[in-house]
Structures are given as structure tokens and as C-alpha cells.
Coordinates of all heavy atoms in Angstrom, one line a residue:
M19 N 0.9 -1.2 0.0 CA 0.0 0.0 0.0 C 0.9 1.2 0.0 O 1.8 1.4 0.9 CB -0.9 0.0 1.2 CG -1.8 -1.2 1.3 SD -2.9 -1.4 -0.1 CE -4.1 -0.1 0.3
N20 N 0.7 2.1 -1.0 CA 1.5 3.3 -1.2 C 0.7 4.5 -0.7 O -0.4 4.8 -1.2 CB 2.0 3.5 -2.6 CG 2.7 2.2 -3.1 OD1 3.9 2.1 -2.8 ND2 2.1 1.4 -3.8
I21 N 1.2 5.2 0.3 CA 0.4 6.3 1.0 C 1.1 7.6 0.9 O 2.3 7.8 1.1 CB 0.3 5.9 2.5 CG1 -0.3 4.5 2.6 CG2 -0.5 7.0 3.2 CD1 -0.3 4.0 4.0
R22 N 0.4 8.6 0.4 CA 0.8 10.0 0.4 C -0.1 10.8 1.3 O -1.3 10.6 1.4 CB 0.7 10.6 -1.0 CG 1.7 10.1 -2.1 CD 1.4 10.7 -3.4 NE 2.2 10.2 -4.5 CZ 3.3 10.9 -4.9 NH1 3.7 12.0 -4.4 NH2 4.0 10.4 -5.9
F23 N 0.5 11.8 2.0 CA -0.3 12.7 2.8 C -0.7 13.9 2.1 O -0.4 15.1 2.5 CB 0.5 12.9 4.1 CG 0.8 11.7 4.9 CD1 2.1 11.1 4.8 CD2 -0.1 11.1 5.7 CE1 2.4 9.9 5.5 CE2 0.1 10.0 6.5 CZ 1.4 9.4 6.3
A24 N -1.5 13.7 1.0 CA -2.0 14.8 0.2 C -3.1 14.2 -0.7 O -3.2 13.0 -0.9 CB -0.9 15.4 -0.6
Q25 N -3.9 15.1 -1.2 CA -5.0 14.7 -2.0 C -4.5 14.5 -3.4 O -3.9 15.4 -4.0 CB -6.2 15.6 -2.0 CG -7.4 15.1 -2.8 CD -8.7 15.9 -2.5 OE1 -8.6 17.0 -2.0 NE2 -9.8 15.3 -2.8
T26 N -4.6 13.3 -4.1 CA -4.1 13.1 -5.4 C -5.2 12.4 -6.2 O -6.4 12.3 -5.7 CB -2.8 12.2 -5.4 OG1 -3.2 10.9 -4.9 CG2 -1.8 12.8 -4.4
N27 N -4.8 11.8 -7.4 CA -5.7 11.0 -8.1 C -5.7 9.5 -7.8 O -6.3 8.7 -8.5 CB -5.5 11.1 -9.6 CG -5.9 12.6 -10.1 OD1 -6.8 13.2 -9.6 ND2 -5.1 13.0 -11.1
D28 N -5.0 9.1 -6.7 CA -5.0 7.7 -6.3 C -6.4 7.2 -6.1 O -7.3 8.0 -5.7 CB -4.2 7.6 -5.0 CG -2.7 7.8 -5.2 OD1 -2.3 7.8 -6.3 OD2 -2.0 8.0 -4.2
I29 N -6.5 5.9 -6.2 CA -7.9 5.3 -6.2 C -8.6 5.5 -4.9 O -9.8 5.6 -4.8 CB -7.8 3.8 -6.5 CG1 -9.2 3.2 -6.7 CG2 -7.0 3.1 -5.4 CD1 -9.2 1.8 -7.2
I30 N -7.8 5.6 -3.8 CA -8.3 6.0 -2.4 C -7.8 7.4 -2.1 O -6.6 7.5 -1.9 CB -8.0 5.0 -1.4 CG1 -8.5 3.6 -1.8 CG2 -8.6 5.4 0.0 CD1 -8.0 2.5 -0.9
S31 N -8.6 8.4 -2.0 CA -8.1 9.7 -1.7 C -9.0 10.6 -0.9 O -10.3 10.5 -1.1 CB -7.8 10.4 -3.1 OG -7.2 11.6 -2.9
S32 N -8.4 11.3 0.0 CA -9.2 12.3 0.8 C -8.4 13.6 0.8 O -7.3 13.7 0.2 CB -9.5 11.8 2.2 OG -8.3 11.7 2.9
S33 N -8.8 14.6 1.5 CA -8.1 15.8 1.6 C -6.8 15.7 2.3 O -5.9 16.6 2.2 CB -9.0 16.9 2.3 OG -9.4 16.5 3.6
S34 N -6.6 14.6 3.1 CA -5.4 14.5 3.9 C -4.5 13.3 3.6 O -3.3 13.3 3.9 CB -5.8 14.4 5.4 OG -6.6 13.3 5.6
V35 N -5.1 12.3 2.9 CA -4.2 11.1 2.6 C -4.8 10.5 1.4 O -6.0 10.5 1.1 CB -4.3 10.1 3.8 CG1 -5.7 9.6 4.0 CG2 -3.3 9.0 3.6
S36 N -3.8 9.9 0.6 CA -4.2 9.2 -0.6 C -3.4 7.8 -0.6 O -2.3 7.7 -0.2 CB -3.8 10.0 -1.9 OG -4.5 11.2 -1.9
I37 N -4.1 6.8 -1.1 CA -3.6 5.4 -1.1 C -3.8 4.7 -2.4 O -4.9 4.8 -3.0 CB -4.2 4.6 0.0 CG1 -4.1 5.3 1.4 CG2 -3.6 3.2 0.1 CD1 -4.8 4.6 2.5
T38 N -2.8 4.1 -2.9 CA -2.9 3.2 -4.0 C -2.2 1.9 -3.8 O -1.1 1.9 -3.3 CB -2.4 3.9 -5.3 OG1 -2.6 3.0 -6.5 CG2 -0.9 4.2 -5.2
P39 N -2.8 0.7 -4.1 CA -2.2 -0.5 -3.9 C -1.3 -1.0 -5.0 O -1.4 -0.5 -6.2 CB -3.4 -1.5 -3.7 CG -4.5 -0.9 -4.6 CD -4.2 0.6 -4.6
S40 N -0.5 -2.0 -4.8 CA 0.3 -2.6 -5.8 C 0.5 -4.1 -5.5 O 0.6 -4.5 -4.3 CB 1.6 -2.0 -6.1 OG 2.4 -1.9 -4.9
L41 N 0.5 -5.0 -6.5 CA 0.6 -6.4 -6.3 C 1.7 -6.9 -7.2 O 1.8 -6.6 -8.4 CB -0.7 -7.1 -6.7 CG -0.7 -8.6 -6.8 CD1 -0.3 -9.3 -5.4 CD2 -2.0 -9.2 -7.3
G42 N 2.6 -7.7 -6.7 CA 3.7 -8.3 -7.5 C 3.8 -9.8 -7.3 O 3.6 -10.3 -6.1
L43 N 4.2 -10.5 -8.3 CA 4.3 -11.9 -8.3 C 5.6 -12.3 -9.0 O 6.0 -11.7 -10.0 CB 3.2 -12.6 -9.0 CG 1.7 -12.3 -8.6 CD1 0.7 -12.9 -9.5 CD2 1.5 -12.8 -7.2
Q44 N 6.3 -13.3 -8.5 CA 7.6 -13.8 -9.1 C 7.6 -15.3 -9.0 O 7.5 -15.9 -8.0 CB 8.8 -13.2 -8.4 CG 10.1 -13.7 -8.9 CD 11.3 -13.1 -8.2 OE1 11.8 -12.0 -8.6 NE2 11.8 -13.8 -7.2
F45 N 7.8 -15.9 -10.2 CA 8.0 -17.3 -10.3 C 9.5 -17.6 -10.5 O 10.1 -17.0 -11.5 CB 7.2 -18.0 -11.3 CG 7.5 -19.4 -11.6 CD1 7.0 -20.4 -10.7 CD2 8.3 -19.8 -12.7 CE1 7.3 -21.7 -11.0 CE2 8.6 -21.1 -12.9 CZ 8.0 -22.1 -12.1
G46 N 10.1 -18.4 -9.8 CA 11.6 -18.7 -9.9 C 11.8 -20.2 -10.2 O 11.2 -21.1 -9.6
Y47 N 12.9 -20.5 -10.9 CA 13.3 -21.9 -11.2 C 14.8 -22.0 -10.9 O 15.6 -21.3 -11.5 CB 13.0 -22.3 -12.6 CG 13.5 -23.7 -13.0 CD1 13.0 -24.8 -12.3 CD2 14.5 -23.8 -13.9 CE1 13.5 -26.1 -12.7 CE2 15.1 -25.1 -14.3 CZ 14.5 -26.2 -13.6 OH 15.0 -27.5 -13.9
I48 N 15.1 -22.8 -9.9 CA 16.5 -23.1 -9.4 C 17.3 -21.8 -9.2 O 18.5 -21.8 -9.5 CB 17.2 -24.1 -10.3 CG1 17.4 -23.6 -11.8 CG2 16.5 -25.5 -10.3 CD1 18.2 -24.4 -12.7
D49 N 16.6 -20.8 -8.8 CA 17.3 -19.5 -8.5 C 18.1 -19.0 -9.7 O 19.2 -18.4 -9.6 CB 18.2 -19.6 -7.3 CG 17.4 -19.7 -6.0 OD1 16.3 -19.2 -6.0 OD2 17.9 -20.4 -5.1
M50 N 17.7 -19.4 -10.9 CA 18.3 -19.0 -12.1 C 17.4 -18.2 -13.1 O 17.9 -17.2 -13.6 CB 18.9 -20.3 -12.9 CG 19.6 -19.9 -14.2 SD 20.2 -21.4 -15.0 CE 21.5 -21.9 -13.9
I51 N 16.2 -18.6 -13.2 CA 15.3 -18.0 -14.2 C 14.1 -17.5 -13.4 O 13.5 -18.2 -12.5 CB 14.8 -19.0 -15.3 CG1 16.0 -19.5 -16.1 CG2 13.8 -18.4 -16.2 CD1 15.7 -20.7 -17.0
Y52 N 13.7 -16.3 -13.7 CA 12.6 -15.6 -13.0 C 11.6 -15.0 -14.0 O 12.0 -14.4 -15.0 CB 13.1 -14.5 -12.1 CG 14.1 -15.0 -11.1 CD1 15.5 -14.9 -11.3 CD2 13.6 -15.4 -9.8 CE1 16.3 -15.3 -10.3 CE2 14.5 -15.9 -8.9 CZ 15.9 -15.8 -9.1 OH 16.8 -16.2 -8.2
L53 N 10.3 -15.3 -13.7 CA 9.2 -14.6 -14.5 C 8.4 -13.8 -13.5 O 8.1 -14.3 -12.4 CB 8.3 -15.7 -15.1 CG 9.0 -16.7 -16.1 CD1 8.0 -17.7 -16.6 CD2 9.5 -15.9 -17.3
R54 N 8.1 -12.6 -13.9 CA 7.5 -11.6 -13.0 C 6.3 -11.0 -13.6 O 6.2 -10.7 -14.8 CB 8.5 -10.5 -12.5 CG 9.8 -11.1 -11.9 CD 10.7 -10.0 -11.4 NE 11.9 -10.5 -10.9 CZ 13.1 -10.6 -11.5 NH1 13.2 -10.2 -12.8 NH2 14.1 -11.1 -10.9
G55 N 5.4 -10.5 -12.7 CA 4.2 -9.7 -13.2 C 3.7 -8.9 -12.0 O 3.9 -9.2 -10.9
G56 N 3.1 -7.8 -12.4 CA 2.5 -7.0 -11.3 C 1.6 -5.9 -11.8 O 1.5 -5.7 -13.1
V57 N 0.8 -5.4 -10.9 CA -0.1 -4.3 -11.3 C -0.1 -3.3 -10.2 O -0.1 -3.6 -9.0 CB -1.5 -4.8 -11.6 CG1 -2.1 -5.5 -10.4 CG2 -2.4 -3.8 -12.1
G58 N -0.1 -2.0 -10.5 CA -0.1 -1.0 -9.6 C -0.5 0.4 -10.2 O -1.1 0.4 -11.2
N59 N -0.2 1.5 -9.4 CA -0.5 2.8 -9.9 C -2.0 3.0 -10.3 O -2.3 3.5 -11.3 CB 0.4 3.2 -11.1 CG 0.4 4.7 -11.4 OD1 0.1 5.5 -10.5 ND2 0.6 5.0 -12.6
F60 N -2.9 2.6 -9.4 CA -4.3 2.7 -9.7 C -4.7 4.2 -9.5 O -4.6 4.8 -8.4 CB -5.1 1.8 -8.7 CG -5.0 0.3 -9.0 CD1 -4.0 -0.4 -8.4 CD2 -5.9 -0.3 -9.8 CE1 -3.8 -1.8 -8.7 CE2 -5.8 -1.7 -10.0 CZ -4.7 -2.4 -9.5
Q61 N -5.3 4.7 -10.5 CA -5.6 6.2 -10.5 C -7.0 6.4 -11.0 O -7.5 5.7 -11.9 CB -4.6 6.9 -11.4 CG -3.1 6.8 -11.1 CD -2.8 7.6 -9.9 OE1 -3.0 8.9 -9.9 NE2 -2.3 7.0 -8.8
N62 N -7.6 7.5 -10.5 CA -8.9 7.9 -11.0 C -8.6 8.9 -12.2 O -7.9 9.9 -12.0 CB -9.7 8.7 -9.9 CG -10.1 7.7 -8.8 OD1 -10.7 6.7 -9.1 ND2 -9.9 8.1 -7.6
I63 N -9.1 8.6 -13.3 CA -8.8 9.3 -14.6 C -10.1 9.9 -15.2 O -11.0 9.1 -15.3 CB -8.0 8.4 -15.6 CG1 -6.7 7.9 -15.0 CG2 -7.8 9.2 -16.9 CD1 -6.1 6.9 -15.9
Q64 N -10.0 11.1 -15.5 CA -11.2 11.7 -16.2 C -11.0 11.7 -17.7 O -10.0 12.2 -18.2 CB -11.4 13.2 -15.7 CG -12.7 13.9 -16.3 CD -12.9 15.2 -15.7 OE1 -12.1 16.1 -15.9 NE2 -14.0 15.4 -15.0

């Protein structure tokens, strides 16, 4: 959870705090090969 103490376009936002989540996944094989995926920066967009 990424938190700013200001009102922004984050998906959760008030006059004093704004929050946007992020999710990350990593699959590894013998600590040699890694595949990764993630999603974040959720914003309210007009």
C-alpha cells in the first residue's frame, strides 16, 4: 500500500491522505530463471 499525505488521483483519496495498492508476483526456477508480473498505480482518470 503506497500512501501520500496529500489529495491526489490515487484510487483512495481524501483531503489529507491518498492510497494506491500494488501487487507483485515472481516465479523462480532453481534460482536461475525468473518470471514476474505486477499491477499498480491505480488512478482515477477523467
Side-chain angles (χ1 to χ4, degrees):
M19 301 298 288
N20 303 285
I21 305 169
R22 291 178 182 261
F23 297 98
Q25 188 168 18
T26 69
N27 289 331
D28 290 346
I29 190 172
I30 303 170
S31 184
S32 69
S33 59
S34 58
V35 65
S36 298
I37 303 173
T38 183
S40 57
L41 169 67
L43 304 173
Q44 174 181 276
F45 171 79
Y47 174 65
I48 60 173
D49 291 330
M50 179 182 290
I51 299 172
Y52 300 94
L53 300 176
R54 305 182 180 98
V57 61
N59 194 28
F60 290 86
Q61 301 284 301
N62 293 310
I63 300 173
Q64 187 175 61

